[in-house]
Each structure stands twice: as C-alpha cells, then as structure tokens.
Amino acid sequence: MSDSFGTSKYSDEVQKVSKDTPLEEILYLLKRDGGVFVKNLIPEEDVDKAYSEVKDRMDNDMEWDGAFFPVQTKRAPSLIARSPTYTKTQLMNPLFRKVCDHFLTTRSWFWWGDEKKESVSRPYVHSCTAMRIGPGGKAQPLHRDDYIAHRYHTEIEKWDDARDMDRESAVGLFVAGCRITKENGGTQFIPRSHLWGTNRTTPPRVDQCIFADMQKGDGFIMLASAFHGGGSNVTEDEYRLAFATFITRGFLRQEENQFLAVPQDVARTYDRDIQEYIGYYMSDPACGYYEQMDPIYHLRPELLKDARPTDF
C-alpha cells in the first residue's frame, strides 16, 4: 500500500478531506479505514435538483416487508431512470469513478491455444437508491454490503495491494441530501472493519461505530466489505435524506437490474459512457453479449454498420 506522502499527514480517525485531495491519498485512506468523507463533493443545487426529480416516487413508496428498512424510511430506486441530474453529477462523479476503477477493475491472464491473453473487466453500476429516514426510524442491523455477492474474507492486519487487489466486490458512495447528524439517522460505520475475517465468532457492535456527520453535498465513499448501517432517527421533526450509489465488478451480477430499472428509451437519452456504465458493454472476455455481439449495438443499432461477432 503506497504512502508516499507520509502517514503523519492523517490522524487515526476516519478522515474528512477536500474533493481536491489527490487520488492516491483518498485510495490510501480507503485501504486503511474502509471509508472516507469527501467534503462538498456535489454542489448543493445539484443535490436539490436530483431530489426534486425523485421526490414523487419517494413520497409514494410502499412499506418495506421486513426489518431492514423501518416503516419511517421512504426510498426512490431506479435513480438513473428518474434523475438525469443524479446520474450526471453523482453516478458519473469523476473522483468516485476513479476510486471504483482502482478497486474494481479486474485483470487476469488466460491461455488461448498457445497465445497468452490478458482480460480486463471494467466496473459497472450495482444499485442506485435515494433514502429518507423520518423521525422514529430505527437503525439498520450492521452489515457488509458485499454479502450480496457471497464474499468470504480472510482476516488481514492491513491492506496489501498485491494480495488484496481482488478483495472488494463493490464500492459505495453516500451523498448527503441534507444536514446529516447522528441524531437524525447518520450512517453507522465501523472503521477498519473491511480488514475483518468472515469467520469472526462475535457480531459487529454499535459501540464500535462512528456516525456520519455531513453537510448537504458531502460524500462518504465506502468499501462494501466494511460494516455499516443506517442510524436511528431520534429527532422529532428532521428527515435524513441520502443518495446511495454502488458500483460492482463487471463480471458480477448487479444488485439492481439496470436493464429493467432504466427503460431503453431513457437509456438512449444518455451519452455512451453512461450507457456502458449501466451495462451496455461487453465485460471482457465474454460477459453480457446479445446475439453474440456487444449489447451497445442493440441499444444503438446506428453504431452497428459493418460490425460482426469477434473472438473473445
């Protein structure tokens, strides 16, 4: 794990850094702590506009059947379909994308006859949901989001770039839609729990947590192997709003099926880089094809021209 700037620059606490912080330092903090706060990541006016685009869906959300989301929580999924503002400013945020590219790009070698080939699978969208916790909402159970991908982790003392390059299956970004505090349901997070082994015999505890304290537009980037959960809203009149974006490895199945969540006529309104992030691309060497060709040609047949199926 690179630390060319020196560990003395940062205290042992989970850090709040500027959005202009060098990428290598943000990567270092994520590998060290499992999460990092980025101040003023998204302009407040873009956060407000994104909320206005999804508020109707959130207001009309159905009650969750189970304990994971309390009745006081309202959700708006399928954010790419509902909010171009969210899509362009949060999902495609350049810093967040660079972080995801670092942790979630998969490179592997394989034999193709007597030729040795490299396969590079790029990350894509996992899930996109806005959540609003009302007064009285109870905390979520502490959990790792990578349980979705059936991940098993060995216990490690600290991150090692060579050994742990494939450790993460997803990376998340939480953007504050309002002032977020411990009292109104700020995310509970256990620092450095991304280093824990799956076979620990004791469960995660709330007394091990820090609680998100964020201004509107602040971001919290988190590795999916870190234990966390939405907090309790103990206020009488505050509603905690946050946007949650997760990105996963290109060969893993998406948590939220983006091909159903984003109608094709909506997907066609976006630029190609967003379309590919949704999943309209071939994940090397051979995941996701349609009619044995890159699925971008199904979404945008005008690109087809003389293209033909090719070797993987």
Side-chain angles (χ1 to χ4, degrees), residues 3 67 93 96 105 211 219 221 242 298:
D3 180 18
N93 178 267
F96 181 51
T105 298
F211 294 82
I221 303 176
H298 174 69

Side-chain angles (χ1 to χ4, degrees), residues 16 36-39 173-182 184 186-187 211-221 242-243:
K16 292 185 176 182
V36 62
F37 295 93
V38 183
K39 295 179 289 187
L173 168 65
F174 299 96
V175 171
C178 65
R179 176 78 171 92
I180 290 179
T181 65
K182 176 181 179 180
N184 68 16
T187 298
F211 294 82
D213 189 300
M214 305 166 69
Q215 301 290 337
K216 183 191 293 185
D218 288 353
F220 179 59
I221 303 176
F243 294 82

Side-chain angles (χ1 to χ4, degrees), residues 36-278:
V36 62
F37 295 93
V38 183
K39 295 179 289 187
N40 304 311
L41 181 65
I42 308 297
E44 288 191 21
E45 57 269 26
D46 289 332
V47 175
D48 289 339
K49 188 174 181 181
Y51 181 46
S52 72
E53 292 168 346
V54 304
K55 185 177 183 299
D56 183 66
R57 169 62 176 85
M58 186 177 289
D59 289 343
N60 292 283
D61 189 32
M62 68 179 67
E63 184 176 332
W64 187 267
D65 184 11
F68 193 68
F69 288 109
V71 65
Q72 294 88 352
T73 296
K74 298 290 187 179
R75 298 162 304 278
S78 307
L79 290 182
I80 298 173
R82 294 190 163 94
S83 176
T85 305
Y86 156 83
T87 302
K88 295 171 184 177
T89 62
Q90 296 189 38
L91 177 72
M92 303 302 286
N93 178 267
L95 173 60
F96 181 51
R97 289 203 66 182
K98 290 175 183 176
V99 169
C100 292
D101 286 345
H102 178 85
F103 283 103
L104 302 175
T105 298
T106 305
R107 292 177 171 83
S108 57
W109 292 91
F110 60 96
W111 286 106
W112 182 270
D114 58 1
E115 180 183 358
K116 194 175 183 181
K117 289 188 174 183
E118 182 186 28
S119 175
V120 181
S121 177
R122 296 178 286 115
Y124 71 149
V125 176
H126 204 13
S127 63
C128 309
T129 307
M131 294 169 283
R132 189 180 65 207
I133 302 175
K138 302 299 182 183
Q140 288 182 317
L142 295 172
H143 61 282
R144 283 171 150 166
D145 277 330
D146 65 2
Y147 79 93
I148 293 167
H150 297 266
R151 302 296 276 193
Y152 181 92
H153 295 291
T154 56
E155 186 100 7
I156 58 176
E157 183 177 349
K158 65 179 181 178
W159 187 279
D160 179 89
D161 280 338
R163 180 193 62 208
D164 300 319
M165 60 184 298
D166 294 325
R167 186 175 177 90
E168 295 300 320
S169 65
V171 176
L173 168 65
F174 299 96
V175 171
C178 65
R179 176 78 171 92
I180 290 179
T181 65
K182 176 181 179 180
E183 289 73 25
N184 68 16
T187 298
Q188 307 171 110
F189 173 77
I190 302 182
R192 307 191 183 186
S193 57
H194 67 302
L195 307 175
W196 293 2
T198 303
N199 60 356
R200 284 197 169 202
T201 58
T202 56
R205 306 188 314 271
V206 174
D207 63 7
Q208 297 170 297
C209 291
I210 65 166
F211 294 82
D213 189 300
M214 305 166 69
Q215 301 290 337
K216 183 191 293 185
D218 288 353
F220 179 59
I221 303 176
M222 181 194 74
L223 302 182
S225 59
F227 278 100
H228 70 289
S232 296
N233 187 335
V234 299
T235 70
E236 295 183 357
D237 58 0
E238 295 182 23
Y239 289 80
R240 191 224 72 176
L241 173 66
F243 294 82
T245 305
F246 280 85
I247 307 300
T248 192
R249 292 184 184 268
F251 60 87
L252 293 177
R253 187 170 183 175
Q254 296 167 314
E255 178 183 6
E256 180 183 46
N257 188 320
Q258 298 301 318
F259 304 103
L260 298 178
V262 187
Q264 288 189 11
D265 60 339
V266 176
R268 290 189 181 99
T269 66
Y270 285 118
D271 293 337
R272 182 168 177 173
D273 58 343
I274 297 175
Q275 294 168 345
E276 291 182 348
Y277 220 35
I278 290 171

